[in-house]
Amino acid sequence: PRIAAITALNVTTGERMRFAGSLFVDCTGDSAVSVAAGAEYRHGKETKAMHGEPWAGEEPSTNTMGNGLKYHCRDTGVPQPFEAPNWIYRFDDCDAFTPGRHPQLPTGVAIGYQWQTELGGLRDTYADAEEIRDDLFRLIFGLWDHSKNHCPKQGKDAENLVLEWVGHIAGKRENRRLIGDHILTQNDIADQTLFPDRVAYGAWIVDDHYSEGFFHDGQFGWHMDDPGNAHAGVEFSIPFRSLYSRNVANLLMAGRNISATHLGMSNTRVMLTCATMGHAAGTGAALCVQRDLSPQALARDHINCLQQQLLKEGAYIVDLGADDSGDLARKASVTASSEVTPGSEVINGYARATESTPNAWIPNANAEGPHWVCLNWKEPVTLNTVHVTFQTRWLTPAEFAVEVWDGNTWQRVAEIADNRHRRAVLGLDDHTT
């Protein structure tokens, strides 16, 4: 099948809108567009027999990770009584909580506790989202009632606090995962598989929450029964084949609904990893439109074009360097005002540090400024765009300039002041140097 158009409803005005297109990217997380279009998907937990994943169970399950809501309180400086509504979950004493789940007052760093106020993994977190949200209200107000009215440890600290805000849109961790030409697994993460079509990366943890959520009767938190297979901080790659549907010809996806197992997705679902996948899927979609290709054809025949475009746009791809034939810098020789690491590091094709090299020119801090790095060509070249990348935001200079030798003098063609960005793409008039 193919998607011809999407019909949307403006829930504020009631207006219906129709969006026709040649290619679609489902970033809903819930696979709302894709499932309606007949895309293949999974919902729940795979068995160990399917992919050999260490944490997978022996039996399949429709259970998932649950949903959550954020909430916040404020110190008013005066006592604030709280009368609990009759619909809350009641926790009349501290022994009512399983280990690790006693409430923390939601101020300062304690807001990190709120990921534990999770419910809905035993239901359908998509179809039952509103009912799960209501249960989360019951839980949050019940926790607040305990802190205010029943907790000998927190009663005094909570006396002047008022529950100022409770979110109304639940954050979902998991429901329907689409099926692409590759299904990313926990083993791909553990093995740090360098896929030939890798276009994004992650380095989180196999962060699989118990489906019972807050009411799990046992160890609190994620599945740390087997910490050796949590792969905390392991940098792994994500293939383009996991970012498009295998049966809907013009459909891509990015976010927690990519082609992954339950355990693979438990690592890729976090926001920064989702952002890298969104960049890859969006750039891939643009190349498909420009070249009149399907995502499958792009993956099969033109993946290097996508990878090089992503690198050109500042993306990071594990162990893959820029090698764009149009990159004049790669054809230059490099000199520098001083060197702790060689100036040639600026043109080696890698824009982020690795364990073995900083992949950046570092001048001698004791050398007299201004510090400079110079690119030289054997024959004159004409350029109109300069890409400048610094190693990190914290090592980014507040100001820098670009100058071009015109045969007699250095001409300043760009000057950046009050710089706050790690990367800059500077468009210029044509200059020959």
Side-chain angles (χ1 to χ4, degrees), residues 76-376:
T76 65
V78 295
Q80 296 289 333
F82 177 74
E83 182 177 350
N86 59 12
W87 42 259
I88 64 168
Y89 287 118
R90 297 197 64 87
F91 306 100
D92 291 334
D93 57 70
C94 296
D95 293 335
F97 301 99
T98 55
R101 285 187 166 80
H102 188 283
Q104 299 175 23
L105 296 177
T107 56
V109 296
I111 197 168
Y113 161 84
Q114 294 182 18
W115 68 263
Q116 299 175 43
T117 57
E118 173 183 356
L119 295 174
L122 302 179
R123 306 177 67 179
D124 186 325
T125 59
Y126 175 68
D128 301 328
E130 290 197 22
E131 290 84 354
I132 294 169
R133 178 204 58 201
D134 292 346
D135 278 348
L136 287 164
F137 285 154
R138 297 176 65 198
L139 176 59
I140 290 168
F141 281 91
L143 295 172
W144 188 248
D145 172 61
H146 176 81
S147 295
K148 293 284 287 188
N149 300 323
H150 304 287
C151 183
K153 305 172 187 176
Q154 294 180 337
K156 187 64 177 177
D157 292 335
E159 184 178 16
N160 295 343
L161 301 181
V162 61
L163 191 59
E164 185 173 51
W165 173 84
V166 179
H168 279 63
I169 300 175
K172 303 189 189 95
R173 290 180 175 86
E174 177 186 9
N175 45 64
R176 303 179 298 198
R177 306 182 306 280
L178 299 171
I179 304 299
D181 279 344
H182 180 82
I183 300 172
L184 191 77
T185 70
Q186 182 183 7
N187 296 326
D188 291 328
I189 294 166
D191 296 340
Q192 295 179 280
T193 305
L194 284 180
F195 298 101
D197 61 327
R198 58 193 183 276
V199 291
Y201 77 105
W204 184 234
I205 186 173
V206 179
D207 192 357
D208 182 19
H209 296 197
Y210 293 103
S211 297
E212 299 87 350
F214 188 84
F215 292 110
H216 172 68
D217 186 14
Q219 177 183 347
F220 99 99
W222 50 70
H223 281 320
M224 292 301 288
D225 313 80
D226 186 9
N229 282 304
H231 315 304
V234 169
E235 190 178 83
F236 64 93
S237 66
I238 300 169
F240 187 59
R241 286 168 297 147
S242 290
L243 304 185
Y244 63 80
S245 168
R246 75 179 180 187
N247 75 305
V248 177
N250 62 337
L251 174 65
L252 298 97
M253 57 276 195
R256 57 184 163 84
N257 63 340
I258 69 160
S259 179
T261 63
H262 163 77
L263 288 166
M265 182 278 310
S266 73
N267 193 309
T268 62
R269 66 183 173 82
V270 293
M271 288 188 288
L272 293 181
T273 305
C274 288
T276 71
M277 295 187 291
H279 184 190
T283 302
L287 288 176
C288 286
V289 171
Q290 290 173 4
R291 296 172 178 239
D292 192 23
L293 296 169
S294 68
Q296 291 89 341
L298 183 66
R300 182 183 63 243
D301 302 324
H302 302 279
I303 194 62
N304 183 64
C305 295
L306 173 56
Q307 291 170 325
Q308 290 302 316
Q309 182 63 34
L310 288 168
L311 292 171
K312 184 178 179 179
E313 294 172 1
Y316 171 67
I317 302 176
V318 179
D319 198 27
L320 187 67
D323 191 22
D324 188 333
S325 61
D327 184 356
L328 295 176
R330 300 275 286 155
K331 303 169 185 176
S333 60
V334 181
T335 55
S337 55
S338 64
E339 294 179 327
V340 173
T341 60
S344 57
E345 292 277 289
V346 303
I347 61 168
N348 70 356
Y350 294 90
R352 285 174 171 80
T354 64
E355 291 183 2
S356 59
T357 176
N359 291 317
W361 163 60
I362 302 175
N364 187 333
N366 296 320
E368 185 177 350
H371 302 295
W372 54 261
V373 60
C374 181
L375 275 61
N376 306 279

